[in-house]
Amino acid sequence: DGGITQSPKYLFRKEGQNVTLSCEQNLNHDAMYWYRQDPGQGLRLIYYSQIVNDFQKGDIAEGYSVSREKKESFPLTVTSAQKNPTAFYLCASSSQGRVNEQFFGPGTRLTVL
Amino acid sequence: KNEVEQSPQNLTAQEGEFITINCSYSVGISALHWLQQHPGGGIVSLFMLSSGKKKHGRLIATINIQEKHSSLHITASHPRDSAVYICAVNSGAQKLVFGQGTRLTINP
């Protein structure tokens, strides 16, 4: 089945540690996105990539980094510079130029202790 | 003020009731989306609208471009409709802008 996988579903880290969240898609989509969701707030765009080896900052990129070495994969690293990393993180993908047709992954809930 | 505002933030109703969730936006848009987020966190797309009205089963979505307003209606609501409903707009840039979501609980 085609889709987007994010692993793990729940992730716990100690304060000060970097952590990398996985996002893989087998939909042959060029574009991939990372969102952060906090209680009572809408999804906010962290980074997006429209093609392999290229990515752009979203609205809240500070404290995060990404890479796009393969079309299928768009990992997000939450660095120790992110002041409030505990949140629900969603990955999405779409065909290039079709931002209106995003498919979402199941999400990873990150808790920093 | 957020570019996309939803109301109400929380809604609890009895099974069978007619449900309305509202979305207002302040920017020009090329499309508006209604999304459903299940308790586990996964998000699915319900509708994409640029004008008029769409219907899928018990769900109806409408949009008024002049008033910058959209509504999502659920007829004959059921406990399985309990979820967070999210409105999102595409203002022409390569991204979506999301509302804060409406948490709907349908009691049996």
Side-chain angles (χ1 to χ4, degrees):
Chain A
D1 275 15
I4 302 176
T5 57
Q6 292 185 243
S7 60
K9 188 160 181 64
Y10 299 96
L11 191 54
F12 297 88
R13 279 295 182 269
K14 291 183 179 179
E15 193 172 345
Q17 288 182 334
N18 290 357
V19 58
T20 297
L21 280 58
S22 164
C23 177
E24 304 276 333
Q25 54 95 4
N26 60 3
L27 299 165
N28 200 32
H29 284 165
D30 290 301
M32 297 186 74
Y33 312 82
W34 272 107
Y35 296 96
R36 170 181 171 136
Q37 187 178 37
D38 295 282
Q41 294 192 43
L43 276 70
R44 291 180 291 170
L45 183 64
I46 304 172
Y47 268 97
Y48 64 103
S49 168
Q50 294 183 323
I51 199 166
V52 173
N53 292 322
D54 186 48
F55 48 83
Q56 287 79 40
K57 292 182 179 180
D59 299 318
I60 54 165
E62 185 175 350
Y64 299 98
S65 66
V66 293
S67 63
R68 188 82 189 277
E69 297 175 2
K70 298 188 300 182
K71 187 176 185 177
E72 302 80 15
S73 179
F74 191 40
L76 174 74
T77 297
V78 185
T79 75
S80 56
Q82 168 51 234
K83 298 299 180 204
N84 188 17
T86 294
F88 188 63
Y89 291 88
L90 281 154
C91 178
S93 71
S94 71
S95 297
Q96 192 175 42
R98 294 189 177 272
V99 65
N100 283 317
E101 298 173 14
Q102 293 183 37
F103 291 80
F104 289 86
T108 292
R109 187 167 300 280
L110 172 66
T111 302
V112 176
L113 307 171
Chain B
K1 189 177 189 302
N2 293 335
E3 291 177 303
V4 181
E5 293 279 351
Q6 289 183 234
S7 63
Q9 289 193 29
N10 293 283
L11 178 56
T12 299
Q14 291 299 122
E15 183 173 356
E17 287 189 36
F18 182 80
I19 302 299
T20 296
I21 299 171
N22 297 299
C23 175
S24 296
Y25 53 92
S26 57
V27 296
I29 67 167
S30 60
L32 180 142
H33 300 258
W34 282 103
L35 309 166
Q36 182 189 54
Q37 185 171 30
H38 292 285
I43 290 179
V44 296
S45 176
L46 298 175
F47 295 104
M48 181 174 70
L49 295 161
S50 54
S51 65
K53 174 180 174 178
K54 286 190 176 180
K55 184 176 189 292
H56 185 252
R58 295 181 293 106
L59 274 59
I60 304 165
T62 64
I63 187 168
N64 185 319
I65 298 295
Q66 287 73 29
E67 295 186 3
K68 292 189 166 64
H69 181 269
S70 175
S71 293
L72 177 68
H73 305 286
I74 304 175
T75 63
S77 60
H78 190 276
R80 65 175 175 264
D81 297 325
S82 297
V84 176
Y85 292 85
I86 300 170
C87 173
V89 302
N90 180 355
S91 59
Q94 289 299 313
K95 66 174 186 176
L96 297 176
V97 179
F98 296 80
Q100 77 274 37
T102 294
R103 184 174 298 278
L104 174 65
T105 303
I106 303 297
N107 293 319

